[in-house]
Amino acid sequence: MIADDDEKWLAAAMTAVKQNAFYMQRAIDSNNLKDALKFSAQMLSELRTSKLSPHKYYELYMRVFNELGTLEIFFKEETGRGCSIAELYELVQHAGNILPRLYLLCTIGSVYIKSKDVTTTDILKDLVEMCRAVQHPLRGLFLRSYLAQVTRDKLPSIVSELEGDGDAQMNALEFVLQNFTEMNKLWVRMQHQGSSREKEKREKERNELRDLVGKNLHVLSQLEGVDLGIYRDTVLPRILEQVVNCKDELAQCYLMDCIIQVFPDDFHLQTLDVLLGACPQLQPSVDIKTVLSGLMERLSNYAASSVEALPNFLQVEAFSKFNYAIGKVVEAQVDLPAAGSVTLYLFLLKFTLHVYSDRLDYVDQVLGSCVTQLSATGKLCDDKAAKQIVAFLSAPLEKYNNVVTILKLTNFPRVMEYLDHETNKAMAIIIVQSVLKNNTHISTADEVDAFFELAKGLIKDFDGAIDNEIDEEDFQEEQNFVARLVHNLYNDDPEEMSKIIFTVRKHILTGGPKRLPLTIPALVFSALKLIRRLRGGDENPFGDDSSATPKRILQLLSETVEALSDVSAPDLALRLYLQCAQAANDCELETVTYEFFTKAYLLYEEEISDSKAQITALRLIIGTLQRMRVFNVENRDILTHKATGYSARLLRKPDQCRAVYECAHLFWADECENLKDGERVVLCLKRAQRIADAVQKMTNASRGTSSTGSVALYVELLNKYLYFLEKGNTKVTGDTIKSLAELIRSETKKVESGAESFINSTLRYIEFQRQQDGGMSEKYEKIKMEWFE
């Protein structure tokens, strides 16, 4: 309903303006000054209305403003035809109503200034003082806006010699400052018009009119002769005085932003202490973050645009002033939330990184200032504040792209202490990802220790518990980050590298049962890489107390892998024990190698009960033991006997058969003559065949003539015999192979075994080798089977 009334009143006012403008134009065309003034005053009387909203009033004002342009041109032409400008100035003051009279005075006054028939100061002073007569906020605001617009292009340079009596004269600068002051007062006063229920509506309307006030500051910035001295001594203090004293949130926020945007960067830099000094005096509700961020962003761009500007930043101590000012703002605004104070320091940090990127002490000082503010809040539970802290800590990380540089910031970990567990972990992921993305090498034990303290949210459980609600895939991906990270910890010096490994172990072992199986393997393989570097050198090249010896490192790994057996990961622990045994073997450390095998055997016996897991584990044991060259006869026999014993005790007979014939490899090493025992190889194969025979009997008993399971075992055994035949084992005879082949043939005649393809491939291979030239064909000539006759 109110909106409809607005439209009606605006339409009526527009009609009246249009009608009076028509008659005014007709009077102008006929050079009738009296009627021109009459109808222009009637047209201007429409601006006296109080019925229109500010938005609609602005539409009406713009229509009148356009018509006044015609009137101004008419006044100029009248003076050109000999009419006295002074008489015109007096004549318009006889208008009946104050508002039309002042609009006409401003119009003729602009012409009067241009004519130079009177001092500029007198006219400007007269106009700005007379406009005080209109105290209605809306009407007075637009009147002064009109005054600023019509005089803007007539204002003289304030550095020129102005006429008049010294101290009494008013120059263009004083005129603009006074007009700005009065306009701001009117604008602020608008908030007190009407009932309190419409406060939000009034604030919206005021916000729409703010540019009317701000244009004055733009005019000030464009005045000729406003140099740094005048700006520092006169302009800025007067503007800030008005900003602070008005005590209006909207005005203070907008005008501070105007100051920052319209005046030159160099002016801001040279008057930084004055501008920042006003910030703590602003109302607590003012969004000071926007003000300061705008100023710092402006100065950051200024620093980036010119190399010559950087020394000025150091000269005026810009960092210290910003740091001090922000501290004062936070101190003054006692109700400022934690997120707000963190945001302020985030802006300061970005400014520092942009302008003083080589000053780590400045960056650390900002972090320290933030810690001081956070010390009163404790752990941050507010999501917004926590996100701001993450952004705050990420800023130097993104700037330097080097975690090693971040480790030099002593206050960085202190800020992280105020994050809750989840946010701390999120920040730790960001840090670790930075290392991986930039391939950062952390190369000293002290740096590694400091780094893992930063990343502890990702490495260990807080309060001994882990969040069970976390997605399993996400958790594994996080821990994979940690595992990949371990390989970025490197130093060419073995002694320092060993210290790094010891340091990593200290932190990794705090990870808890869910993390250890994902992180310990990376540590083990990193240590094994170091052992390979040390292999072949002096047993202890760095002295008795050095940790950089294969034996010491392997001892560390033994204790480390043992932690896996305590967290229900025996399969993984067994694999790692065997990897360590291989490294110890390569370093010719027999006792250590034997200890690793002993631990692997204990795990097999006590922890691995699943039959499939036992088969896999046993194959790993046999494969690793077969490569060992460091053992004496006694130790090797003990370990071999154990392995063959495990093979014979597997749950399923087919598994026993396969494990036993795999044990045959333990008695035959190609490159070592003293580890070739043909008889024991054949014994293993015959034992495996007896187990296969038992499988055959069980199959026949349960399924009549079916021999599917046993035939496959026989063919596998045949291939093992052929392997050792080719390797030169003289105990493998053609008769043995022929006997096994005939057995296979007889079994396949009874029923389709399902292994025909395997059998045929083996037979084709035998035939192929028999037809080859050289020593291999001679070995295969021993095999006489009816299949080939």
Side-chain angles (χ1 to χ4, degrees), residues 98-99 102 128-141 143-144 182-183 185-187 189-190 193:
I98 186 65
L99 191 65
L102 290 175
V128 79
E129 288 295 335
M130 282 194 291
C131 284
R132 290 177 185 270
V134 179
Q135 288 298 302
H136 185 279
L138 185 61
R139 296 197 288 267
L141 191 61
L143 172 62
R144 287 189 174 275
E182 295 300 326
M183 285 185 74
K185 289 178 180 177
L186 291 167
W187 185 46
R189 202 187 309 159
M190 285 181 66
Q193 303 295 307

Side-chain angles (χ1 to χ4, degrees), residues 175-359:
F175 165 74
V176 178
L177 283 171
Q178 282 197 22
N179 199 48
F180 159 72
T181 300
E182 295 300 326
M183 285 185 74
N184 189 54
K185 289 178 180 177
L186 291 167
W187 185 46
V188 170
R189 202 187 309 159
M190 285 181 66
Q191 69 174 316
H192 303 298
Q193 303 295 307
S195 67
S196 59
R197 289 174 303 194
E198 297 181 337
K199 183 177 180 181
E200 185 176 340
K201 177 185 175 184
R202 288 198 304 273
E203 288 300 293
K204 182 180 179 182
E205 292 173 344
R206 286 184 62 217
N207 199 44
E208 293 173 350
L209 299 175
R210 62 183 187 174
D211 285 348
L212 298 178
V213 182
K215 285 177 181 177
N216 287 279
L217 300 186
H218 183 69
V219 171
L220 280 172
S221 69
Q222 299 298 314
L223 280 177
E224 296 180 18
V226 178
D227 58 14
L228 176 60
I230 293 174
Y231 175 77
R232 181 183 57 239
D233 298 336
T234 305
V235 175
L236 185 59
R238 289 279 296 277
I239 297 174
L240 290 179
E241 179 185 12
Q242 179 57 216
V243 171
V244 172
N245 291 339
C246 74
K247 298 187 182 303
D248 177 69
E249 174 191 346
L250 179 61
Q252 287 182 339
C253 189
Y254 171 67
L255 293 176
M256 288 296 287
D257 184 60
C258 275
I259 293 171
I260 293 167
Q261 299 303 325
V262 303
F263 291 104
D265 299 322
D266 186 53
F267 284 16
H268 294 322
L269 189 60
Q270 298 299 328
T271 59
L272 200 53
D273 49 349
V274 179
L275 188 57
L276 293 176
C279 292
Q281 303 176 55
L282 303 179
Q283 294 298 103
S285 55
V286 170
D287 186 7
I288 195 66
K289 302 187 295 297
T290 302
V291 174
L292 289 175
S293 67
L295 178 57
M296 285 187 273
E297 183 179 3
R298 182 86 187 264
L299 291 180
S300 294
N301 294 335
Y302 174 50
S305 65
S306 172
V307 178
E308 292 78 11
L310 288 175
N312 295 334
F313 282 84
L314 294 172
Q315 182 182 4
V316 302
E317 298 180 343
F319 168 77
S320 299
K321 290 177 180 177
F322 271 119
N323 194 23
Y324 177 78
I326 289 175
K328 284 295 182 182
V329 167
V330 174
E331 182 181 326
Q333 299 190 7
V334 292
D335 295 328
L336 187 68
S341 60
V342 172
T343 302
L344 285 173
Y345 283 109
L346 172 59
F347 292 140
L348 177 58
L349 183 60
K350 289 182 176 179
F351 170 78
T352 307
L353 291 169
H354 201 89
V355 180
Y356 305 97
S357 58
D358 58 335
R359 292 294 301 267

Side-chain angles (χ1 to χ4, degrees), residues 520 524-525 528 554-566 569-585 592-604 607-608 620-621 624 628:
I520 281 182
V524 171
F525 283 103
L528 293 177
L554 288 166
Q555 180 182 358
L556 174 78
L557 293 182
S558 176
E559 298 167 359
T560 304
V561 177
E562 192 171 348
L564 287 176
S565 58
D566 297 333
D571 296 350
L572 177 60
L574 183 139
R575 289 172 180 268
L576 295 177
Y577 277 139
L578 295 177
Q579 288 285 344
C580 294
Q582 180 68 60
N585 173 80
V592 178
T593 309
Y594 190 86
E595 288 176 1
F596 278 118
F597 266 98
T598 301
K599 287 178 178 289
Y601 283 175
L602 284 172
L603 277 178
Y604 179 87
E607 302 291 341
I608 301 177
L620 290 170
I621 290 172
T624 305
M628 298 297 102

Side-chain angles (χ1 to χ4, degrees), residues 549-722:
T549 64
K551 189 172 183 179
R552 287 286 300 278
I553 297 171
L554 288 166
Q555 180 182 358
L556 174 78
L557 293 182
S558 176
E559 298 167 359
T560 304
V561 177
E562 192 171 348
L564 287 176
S565 58
D566 297 333
V567 296
S568 301
D571 296 350
L572 177 60
L574 183 139
R575 289 172 180 268
L576 295 177
Y577 277 139
L578 295 177
Q579 288 285 344
C580 294
Q582 180 68 60
N585 173 80
D586 295 342
C587 295
E588 299 180 359
L589 298 172
E590 181 182 10
T591 304
V592 178
T593 309
Y594 190 86
E595 288 176 1
F596 278 118
F597 266 98
T598 301
K599 287 178 178 289
Y601 283 175
L602 284 172
L603 277 178
Y604 179 87
E605 293 172 1
E606 298 176 1
E607 302 291 341
I608 301 177
S609 56
D610 179 76
S611 59
K612 290 184 178 179
Q614 285 181 334
I615 295 167
T616 302
L618 195 51
R619 285 175 177 169
L620 290 170
I621 290 172
I622 294 169
T624 305
L625 183 56
Q626 193 270 341
R627 293 194 296 272
M628 298 297 102
R629 303 292 177 264
V630 72
F631 292 130
N632 59 35
V633 175
E634 180 182 357
N635 285 339
R636 187 176 187 86
D637 283 346
I638 292 172
L639 295 175
T640 302
H641 179 73
K642 280 274 191 183
T644 54
Y646 295 149
S647 302
R649 290 196 295 272
L650 287 173
L651 181 62
R652 296 174 65 249
K653 288 291 183 181
D655 294 333
Q656 291 179 16
C657 176
R658 292 184 175 98
V660 170
Y661 71 59
E662 291 291 348
C663 285
H665 290 278
L666 297 176
F667 305 104
W668 193 272
D670 291 336
E671 71 279 8
C672 192
E673 290 298 326
N674 63 341
L675 291 180
K676 291 181 178 180
D677 190 338
E679 280 191 27
R680 297 181 74 177
V681 168
V682 173
L683 283 173
C684 282
L685 296 178
K686 287 182 176 180
R687 185 178 182 186
Q689 186 171 343
R690 287 196 297 272
I691 298 173
D693 291 340
V695 173
Q696 172 63 24
K697 290 179 182 178
M698 292 171 61
T699 302
N700 292 337
S702 61
R703 299 184 182 180
T705 58
S706 174
S707 58
T708 303
S710 60
V711 171
L713 290 175
Y714 287 145
V715 179
E716 291 171 20
L717 271 169
L718 177 59
N719 278 272
K720 283 296 176 184
Y721 274 114
L722 296 177

Side-chain angles (χ1 to χ4, degrees), residues 477-495:
E477 183 179 6
E478 291 169 4
Q479 297 312 301
N480 284 338
F481 286 146
V482 179
R484 290 170 57 196
L485 166 72
V486 172
H487 296 291
N488 281 66
L489 313 176
Y490 181 80
N491 195 303
D492 287 328
D493 177 22
E495 176 72 9

